[in-house]
């Protein structure tokens, strides 16, 4: 019993080292833009900040409610003595640790002749390798593994998909003791769908296909159909649970489906793939993904146990159906294709046979030393990236905090300064005509009615102000400019999303 406990502990320690190494590498690359500064990436931090302040909340969110992500971020913020960037960095590490935990669940119980901890670590390392091949600052690049490290791009949805596969695998594998896993399966499906309906696309629909196909075999039919029913039932409960949050959902997501644009969707994703193949790291990442998909397809044929076949089929059916579905719906967003990154690694834990390597202990000792050294080096890299000075941002936040007034800015410009203010409500999110832009923001911000300065940068669309006025002064803050209208406050227009 002690040996099992030690083995599991060592697995978590090794996974922690991997998480630090991968997070440190991402934070040290241009991809750190998505961790710390991108307008989209800051929604969870802004939401958590607003929720913990105790002030009134009337949020305008997308179809994603970010409930588990916000809970994780808030918990880390309460536990750790870090500023907001430090919490974002810690969230990256925790997300990868949760991914390992989900893979460990998928790998199944340890039995004679199996090494689930080792294979869960190998799968995590392979996923981490995919992530470190991704170095661009673009949120729209076909660099999908690294999105798990952000707080915004559906990290807990990814974890929920993998957990669902793991719970189904364990239910199918344990005929006498498996019934107790159906409640967690329904709960994961319900909570994941409540927060993000994309779970139904990434998990429920593909797993219905997998389970229905495997139910054709009489030996496992009842357990496959029962798993399917529980998964569908949990998903349905999650959709019903979204009803009370309808006032917060500014876009249900239905408008994203444009089947008539499927040809343009093919061109869009093909262009992203072409861009990915222009760099050596991109080629390595793409080849690794293809190799995993091929390995998953082969493994789904060769494994014999129904529980193993569930995992092996899911490893390639999920990404294939998601890609085909994304194209059929005419979507144009790389983040919807994340199963291409995380699902294929499930093949590595489908049948975690024990490794037969001569002199295994020296090999493990060498790997442990490398992981320890890598994590020791990665901690200061991660801390340095989180604490990197930003004189332009400090200039803006210092001026706004000192002014005691309320100003405005456009989405891609205002969100980073807004997050770092003493009172985020001092910056209101507007469009170029000064209408309230109610998108991923607290609508109570617009109650101020007027603003007395504007913030702009290179991403700002030329202003079309409701009054024919010129600023009383302009404050230069490097990449930002503050247009001061202290003597002529500007009225806000109506809200839209």
């Amino acid at each position: 019993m002690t040996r099992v406990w030690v083995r599991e502990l060592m697995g978590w320690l090794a996974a922690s080292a991997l998480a630090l190494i991968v997070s440190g590498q991402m934070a040290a690359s241009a991809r750190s833009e998505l961790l710390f500064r991108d307008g989209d990436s800051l929604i969870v931090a802004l939401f958590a900040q607003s929720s913990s302040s105790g002030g009134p909340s009337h949020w305008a969110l997308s179809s994603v409610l970010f409930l588990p992500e916000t809970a994780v971020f808030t918990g880390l913020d309460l536990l750790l003595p870090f500023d907001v960037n430090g919490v974002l960095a810690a969230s990256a590490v925790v997300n990868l640790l949760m991914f390992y935990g989900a893979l460990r669940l998928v790998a199944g119980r340890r039995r004679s002749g199996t090494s689930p901890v080792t294979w869960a670590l190998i799968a995590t390392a392979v996923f981490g390798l995919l992530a470190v091949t991704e170095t661009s600052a673009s949120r729209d690049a076909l660099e999908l593994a690294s999105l798990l490290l952000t707080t915004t791009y559906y990290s807990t949805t990814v974890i929920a998909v993998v957990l669902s596969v793991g719970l189904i695998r364990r239910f199918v594998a344990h005929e006498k003791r498996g019934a107790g896993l159906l409640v967690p399966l329904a709960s994961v499906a319900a909570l994941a769908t409540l927060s993000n309906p994309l779970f139904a696309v990434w998990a429920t629909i593909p797993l219905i296909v997998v389970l229905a196909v495997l139910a054709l075999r009489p030996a496992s039919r009842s357990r496959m159909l029962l798993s399917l029913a529980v998964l569908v039932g949990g998903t349905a409960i999650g959709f019903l649970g979204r009803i009370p949050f309808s006032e917060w959902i500014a876009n249900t997501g239905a408008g994203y489906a444009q089947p008539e644009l499927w040809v343009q969707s093919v061109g869009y994703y093909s262009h992203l793939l072409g861009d990915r193949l222009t760099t050596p790291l991109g080629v390595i990442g793409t080849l690794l993904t293809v190799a995993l998909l091929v390995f998953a397809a082969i493994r789904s044929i060769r494994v014999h146990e129904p529980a193993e076949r569930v995992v092996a089929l899911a490893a390639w059916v999920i990404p294939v159906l998601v890609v085909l579905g994304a194209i059929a719906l005419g979507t144009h967003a790389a983040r919807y294709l994340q199963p291409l990154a995380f699902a294929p690694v499930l093949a590595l834990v489908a049948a975690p046979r024990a490794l037969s390597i001569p002199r295994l202990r020296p090999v493990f000792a060498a790997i442990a030393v490398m992981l320890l050294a890598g994590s020791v080096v990665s901690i200061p890299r991660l801390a340095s990236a989180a604490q990197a000075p930003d004189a332009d941002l400090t200039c803006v936040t210092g001026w706004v905090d000192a002014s005691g007034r309320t100003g405005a800015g456009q989405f891609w410009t205002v969100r980073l300064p807004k997050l770092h203010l003493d009172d985020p409500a001092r910056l209101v999110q507007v469009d170029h005509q000064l209408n309230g832009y109610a998108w991923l923001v607290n609508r109570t911000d617009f109650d101020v009615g007027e603003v007395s300065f504007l913030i702009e940068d290179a991403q700002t669309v030329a202003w079309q102000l409701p009054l024919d006025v010129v600023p009383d002064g302009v404050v230069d803050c490097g990449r930002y400019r503050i247009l001061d209208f202290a003597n002529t406050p500007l009225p806000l227009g109506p809200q839209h999303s």
Side-chain angles (χ1 to χ4, degrees):
M1 191 69 179
T2 302
R3 291 184 61 190
V4 172
W5 177 83
V6 170
R7 186 181 293 109
E8 296 293 344
L9 176 61
M10 294 303 293
W12 281 101
L13 290 175
S16 299
L18 284 170
L20 284 167
I21 292 169
V22 175
S23 300
Q25 176 58 32
M26 181 176 175
S29 73
R31 203 88 178 132
S32 63
E33 187 74 15
L34 295 185
L35 276 181
F36 303 121
R37 293 174 290 277
D38 180 73
D40 264 355
S41 299
L42 304 180
I43 172 58
V44 169
L46 285 164
F47 189 28
Q49 191 179 61
S50 173
S51 301
S52 61
S53 70
S57 290
H58 185 202
W59 277 78
L61 297 173
S62 64
S63 57
V64 186
L65 297 176
F66 304 106
L67 300 179
E69 290 91 343
T70 302
V72 171
F73 185 93
T74 302
L76 291 174
D77 194 23
L78 291 173
L79 290 172
L80 302 174
F82 298 161
D83 62 9
V84 66
N85 277 359
V87 178
L88 289 170
S91 295
V93 177
V94 169
N95 287 350
L96 277 170
L97 266 179
M98 290 193 298
F99 186 68
Y100 164 76
L103 287 173
R104 176 62 191 89
L105 181 74
V106 177
R109 297 176 181 271
R110 188 177 185 278
R111 298 174 298 167
S112 176
T114 65
S115 298
V117 172
T118 300
W119 280 104
L121 283 171
I122 291 172
T124 305
V126 170
F127 182 83
L129 179 60
L130 278 174
V132 300
T133 68
E134 302 170 359
T135 57
S136 81
S138 174
R139 76 187 70 85
D140 292 321
L142 201 63
E143 299 183 351
L144 307 172
S146 55
L147 296 181
L148 176 67
L149 279 69
T150 71
T151 57
T152 300
Y153 292 119
Y154 321 142
S155 58
T156 57
T157 306
V158 172
I159 304 301
V161 174
V162 180
L163 284 176
S164 298
V165 174
L167 290 167
I168 292 172
R169 184 240 177 88
R170 294 207 174 197
F171 171 69
V172 171
H174 298 89
E175 296 182 1
K176 295 181 179 179
R177 297 177 293 173
L181 298 170
L182 294 178
V183 172
L185 175 61
S187 301
V188 168
L191 179 58
T193 307
L194 166 65
S195 183
N196 186 358
L198 199 60
F199 175 85
V201 179
W202 284 2
T204 307
I205 294 174
L207 289 176
I208 285 175
V209 174
V210 169
L211 294 171
V213 169
L214 293 178
L216 296 176
R217 299 192 175 194
S220 56
R221 179 172 298 159
S222 61
R223 301 186 81 76
M224 297 298 176
L225 292 179
L226 187 53
S227 299
L228 188 157
V230 171
L231 179 65
V232 172
T235 303
I237 292 171
F239 276 114
L240 291 174
R242 291 173 62 81
I243 295 175
F245 294 92
S246 57
E247 289 190 2
W248 281 20
I249 301 173
N251 187 338
T252 62
Y256 296 145
Q258 299 174 298
E260 69 278 6
L261 299 181
W262 73 270
V263 175
Q264 292 91 325
S265 183
V266 171
Y268 176 77
Y269 291 123
S270 297
H271 176 73
L272 293 185
L273 177 59
D275 286 345
R276 179 83 169 123
L277 293 173
T278 58
T279 65
L281 286 177
V283 172
I284 292 171
T286 303
L287 291 176
L288 181 56
T289 300
V290 172
L292 286 169
L293 286 169
V294 172
F295 176 69
I298 294 173
R299 173 146 286 195
S300 66
I301 297 172
R302 291 187 174 180
V303 294
H304 301 294
E305 295 183 12
E308 295 176 347
R309 187 168 281 117
V310 168
V311 180
L313 279 172
W316 67 268
V317 170
I318 290 176
V320 168
L321 290 185
V322 167
V323 171
L324 292 177
I327 292 172
L329 294 175
T331 62
H332 292 76
R335 62 185 180 275
Y336 297 150
L337 305 186
Q338 283 185 70
L340 268 175
F342 70 81
V345 301
L346 293 173
L348 297 171
V349 292
R353 305 287 186 260
L355 297 172
S356 56
I357 301 175
R359 298 180 181 179
L360 196 59
R361 287 187 179 180
V363 172
F364 281 169
I367 292 173
V369 170
M370 288 189 291
L371 287 176
L372 178 61
S375 60
V376 169
V377 171
S378 296
I379 291 173
R381 293 182 80 194
L382 196 55
S384 176
Q387 298 168 4
D390 188 338
D392 299 346
L393 176 63
T394 301
C395 174
V396 170
T397 56
W399 189 93
V400 175
D401 286 336
S403 73
R405 294 186 276 132
T406 301
Q410 296 173 28
F411 182 91
W412 298 111
T413 302
V414 79
R415 295 179 70 78
L416 181 61
K418 183 178 179 67
L419 176 64
H420 290 270
L421 289 176
D422 292 339
D423 179 7
R426 291 293 182 189
L427 282 178
V428 181
Q429 188 171 284
V430 297
D431 64 14
H432 68 291
Q433 295 178 320
L434 223 61
N435 298 314
Y437 186 39
W439 183 249
L440 307 182
V441 74
N442 193 345
R443 292 187 182 99
T444 60
D445 289 352
F446 304 116
D447 293 345
V448 68
E450 61 182 23
V451 295
S452 60
F453 62 88
L454 301 175
I455 295 177
E456 63 180 20
D457 66 2
Q459 301 181 89
T460 300
V461 177
W463 295 104
Q464 296 179 13
L465 300 180
L467 301 176
D468 187 16
V469 294
V470 295
D472 302 316
V474 177
V475 180
D476 183 9
C477 283
R479 68 179 185 275
Y480 296 103
R481 292 202 320 159
I482 302 174
L483 310 181
D484 192 358
F485 295 90
N487 297 319
T488 316
L490 304 170
L492 297 177
Q495 297 178 35
H496 70 93
S497 63

